[in-house]
Amino acid sequence: MIRVKLRAWTASFRFPTFQSGYQPTLPVPPPSTIQGILSAAKGEPVYLTKLPYVGYVFKSRGKGVDLEKIYALGKVETDIMKREFHHNAELYLYLPDEWKEHFKRPRYQLLLGRSSDLAVVEEIKEEVKLEEKEAPLGGTVVPIGLGLPGMVHALVVEYDYSTVPRRAKLVRPFIVLPFPRTRAERMRQRTKAPYDPELDIGVCLHRWSG
């Protein structure tokens, strides 16, 4: 297993229940964003259901609010919208070894959300060993079957890129778990999981391959 560390100045992930007005960001990337990053690295559509596993942990230094000028289709007037974003963001991806070459030389730009959220590969760590133990989970989404407390959202796991426009191919309910920053959060989000001792965090390894 390898662990790829991406870093970006900003990151933003669409909040599915907000369609207009103030635009908050999800605390962590949805699986479809991970699909987009892997597809950009490889240079072709990647489907998470065809991978043996994928895990990720996201954290940032905090959030800010940007003012964005928008143009309505067919109208000359403009409007100003507030958009929330993460700053100084880090994303750790846990992937099979063969992904090392794709992240050494990504085919397209890697984005943590929108086109302005450019990310760079800061580290590719090989031979990563995760230990199964009681550990806090966070900075990711987990199946609701784990029973951990948190926001529940129906999120797209992967899009079908064989159609135009793309369509959601697989949608699942998840608990959205922010990266735990306090002792109380680490205790509340605790369960048996693969544990990364370097980051001191549990990792949910998603297996959608069936």
Side-chain angles (χ1 to χ4, degrees):
M1 179 187 295
I2 65 168
R3 188 185 69 200
V4 180
K5 179 183 180 182
L6 303 181
R7 179 182 291 278
W9 285 348
T10 61
S12 57
F13 312 113
R14 194 177 74 82
F15 212 103
T17 54
F18 284 74
Q19 298 297 328
S20 62
Y22 179 71
Q23 295 291 304
T25 176
L26 279 176
V28 304
S32 57
T33 296
I34 305 302
Q35 182 195 17
I37 291 170
L38 298 186
S39 298
K42 190 172 183 180
E44 61 184 62
V46 172
Y47 294 95
L48 301 185
T49 50
K50 295 183 178 179
L51 300 183
Y53 63 86
V54 59
Y56 63 94
V57 174
F58 173 84
K59 59 182 180 179
S60 70
R61 289 285 181 86
K63 294 179 183 177
V65 176
D66 195 13
L67 298 178
E68 188 174 86
K69 188 176 185 179
I70 60 173
Y71 296 85
L73 286 175
K75 299 180 180 179
V76 295
E77 64 264 26
T78 62
D79 200 356
I80 301 296
M81 186 175 64
K82 292 183 178 179
R83 183 181 297 280
E84 190 179 47
F85 66 92
H86 298 274
H87 70 84
N88 203 357
E90 297 176 358
L91 176 66
Y92 297 85
L93 298 169
Y94 298 81
L95 298 163
D97 294 343
E98 55 265 30
W99 280 89
K100 175 184 172 184
E101 294 304 316
H102 299 310
F103 280 96
K104 282 177 66 176
R105 287 177 289 277
R107 180 69 176 80
Y108 298 112
Q109 301 93 331
L110 305 178
L111 306 174
L112 294 191
R114 293 153 54 83
S115 59
S116 58
D117 301 320
L118 288 170
V120 296
V121 178
E122 193 167 272
E123 179 189 44
I124 301 176
K125 185 175 179 59
E126 300 179 67
E127 299 182 4
V128 174
K129 304 293 185 184
L130 302 179
E131 177 187 357
E132 192 80 11
K133 59 180 290 187
E134 286 282 329
L137 283 175
T140 189
V141 299
V142 299
I144 58 175
L146 283 182
L148 294 175
M151 292 186 296
V152 176
H153 280 289
L155 300 173
V156 176
V157 173
E158 64 181 18
Y159 284 99
D160 182 357
Y161 287 96
S162 65
T163 62
V164 179
R166 66 180 186 179
R167 64 177 180 85
K169 186 178 179 183
L170 179 62
V171 180
R172 291 273 178 84
F174 293 100
I175 300 169
V176 178
L177 290 178
F179 191 87
R181 300 183 181 281
T182 66
R183 177 178 172 79
E185 289 171 343
R186 292 179 66 84
M187 293 303 295
R188 188 167 57 243
Q189 298 176 193
R190 202 171 186 85
T191 189
K192 192 170 185 180
Y195 173 71
D196 187 335
E198 282 193 30
L199 300 185
D200 190 22
I201 191 73
V203 180
C204 182
L205 293 178
H206 296 281
R207 293 180 172 85
W208 289 301
S209 57

